Amino acid sequence: ARALDQRARATEADATPERLEAPAPGPRPYNIQLDGGMLRMRDKTFREVKVACLFDGRDLAELHAGRRELLRKHYEVHLGGPERLGQLTYAAARVYGVTVDGANAISQGDGAPWVWNVVQTHWPAAVEVLDFYHLSEHLHACAQALWGVGSERARVWAREVGQQTLAGDARVVDTALSRLRPPTAAGQHAVGQLRRYVRTHAHRMGYGHLRQQGSAVASAAVESAHHGVVQRRLKRPGQRWSECGAQQILTTRRLWCNRLSPADVISLANARYLVGPGYRRRVA
């Protein structure tokens, strides 16, 4: 943890985000994804664990038809506010190859304001993308408010609008909503909510152009990171955590899951040496 903090401070002192670089030509290979999940504590409250996933799109290999997998990823994790997660991720991204201002990066997120605040603070030139499946959830919620939960018409409308948006941009949803005339107050409220949501994130919904470039339009990597880094170890049945204990286990999980990452501070071999022979025997 001390090594991570030292690298974060050194990286920020070496190059600040205000010193922008020229935009990188062509596609943006580096992907930065941020998300949060809840962890139950000993005092019966919940704290948010914030996770970042960094990867190079060129490391995406096609195992067989219709199935692809990332060969290398890098994780950062923090129990607390987004500021420290942003600092740690920024330092790792610089080692990975992301430019000072993120001109060669793309960031997919679920729409949470803190995610975009971190991206705009550290990578102001990165392309922001609203996760398509979160948009799809909002489309289905609006359709169910209009035509009823489980309605076939609601399902068909949400699916058709979603597919057209995936090939286009936010104007598809805006046009589809303008054609609706909901008779009930609940339907009018749902349409208004979705319209405000889409207009807020319209500049993050250029799905058609991004897919033509081969860029991802979903935040699946960081969603998977929650399972691999956090849930498999810290969200087992009956587990409750102190803040100190949770942060120590999160730091250890991060080290283990980054064993193939080119941007980690120390190697897994060094960590095994540091924690002693008892750990090495259990691993063996």
Side-chain angles (χ1 to χ4, degrees), residues 4 10 12 46 66 93 106 116 128 135 144 155-156 159 172 176 181 191 209 216 218 224 236 239 245 266 271 278:
L4 291 173
E12 287 191 335
F46 287 86
I106 182 172
W116 308 125
E128 298 176 359
L135 170 65
Q144 290 172 2
R155 185 185 64 81
V156 171
R159 177 174 294 182
V172 173
R181 299 294 182 269
V191 170
H209 177 67
S224 174
R236 294 175 178 176
Q239 285 187 330
I266 61 175

Side-chain angles (χ1 to χ4, degrees), residues 7-281:
R7 181 175 70 172
R9 289 194 296 269
T11 304
E12 287 191 335
D14 176 62
T16 60
E18 286 74 20
R19 196 173 66 206
L20 304 182
E21 297 181 358
R28 296 168 180 250
Y30 297 104
N31 292 252
I32 304 168
Q33 300 183 4
L34 312 170
D35 198 14
M38 305 309 292
L39 186 66
R40 190 163 186 176
M41 312 303 289
R42 285 182 178 175
D43 58 2
K44 300 182 180 180
T45 62
F46 287 86
R47 293 282 304 279
E48 187 174 31
V49 178
K50 291 180 170 60
V51 180
C53 181
L54 171 68
F55 64 91
D56 187 337
R58 293 166 294 193
D59 288 334
L60 191 63
E62 186 169 3
L63 301 181
H64 51 76
R67 180 174 177 81
R68 298 185 296 173
E69 184 175 321
L70 279 169
L71 301 179
R72 295 188 303 175
K73 291 176 281 188
H74 181 86
Y75 303 110
E76 294 294 343
V77 59
H78 178 59
L79 179 66
E83 294 80 10
R84 185 171 185 269
L85 180 74
Q87 294 167 355
L88 296 175
T89 308
Y90 178 75
R94 293 290 291 138
V95 177
Y96 226 93
V98 178
T99 59
V100 173
D101 60 343
N104 60 346
I106 182 172
S107 179
Q108 303 90 350
D110 61 1
W114 73 265
V115 171
W116 308 125
N117 290 339
V118 170
V119 173
Q120 291 162 11
T121 298
H122 295 282
W123 307 281
V127 172
E128 298 176 359
V129 183
L130 176 67
D131 174 68
F132 172 74
Y133 295 101
H134 282 81
L135 170 65
S136 181
E137 290 179 359
H138 284 76
L139 288 174
H140 281 276
C142 179
Q144 290 172 2
L146 290 170
W147 295 294
V149 177
S151 167
E152 180 67 16
R153 184 178 180 184
R155 185 185 64 81
V156 171
W157 181 87
R159 177 174 294 182
E160 289 181 353
V161 174
Q163 290 176 346
Q164 293 171 14
T165 306
L166 195 57
D169 54 29
R171 290 173 293 183
V172 173
V173 185
D174 209 26
T175 302
L177 292 176
S178 66
R179 296 172 181 167
L180 298 175
R181 299 294 182 269
T184 64
Q188 294 170 7
H189 178 70
V191 170
Q193 274 192 323
L194 181 58
R195 182 176 281 115
R196 287 190 295 271
Y197 180 80
V198 170
R199 290 180 178 177
T200 299
H201 298 289
H203 62 289
R204 303 181 177 114
M205 294 171 56
Y207 301 125
H209 177 67
L210 291 168
R211 294 182 73 202
Q212 288 177 359
Q213 292 183 335
S215 300
V217 296
S219 57
V222 74
E223 300 285 350
S224 174
H226 272 293
H227 174 73
V229 181
V230 181
Q231 295 178 10
R232 290 180 61 184
R233 178 61 182 85
L234 285 91
K235 296 185 75 171
R236 294 175 178 176
Q239 285 187 330
R240 306 290 184 271
W241 294 94
S242 66
E243 183 171 354
C244 179
Q247 188 58 62
Q248 289 182 356
I249 296 297
L250 286 170
T251 303
T252 308
R253 285 293 298 168
R254 172 207 166 279
L255 176 66
W256 172 255
C257 294
N258 282 344
R259 59 191 181 276
L260 300 179
S261 169
D264 212 354
V265 175
I266 61 175
S267 69
L268 189 62
N270 289 339
R272 286 175 175 169
Y273 174 77
L274 290 172
V275 297
Y279 174 82
R280 293 200 295 273
R281 283 197 298 270

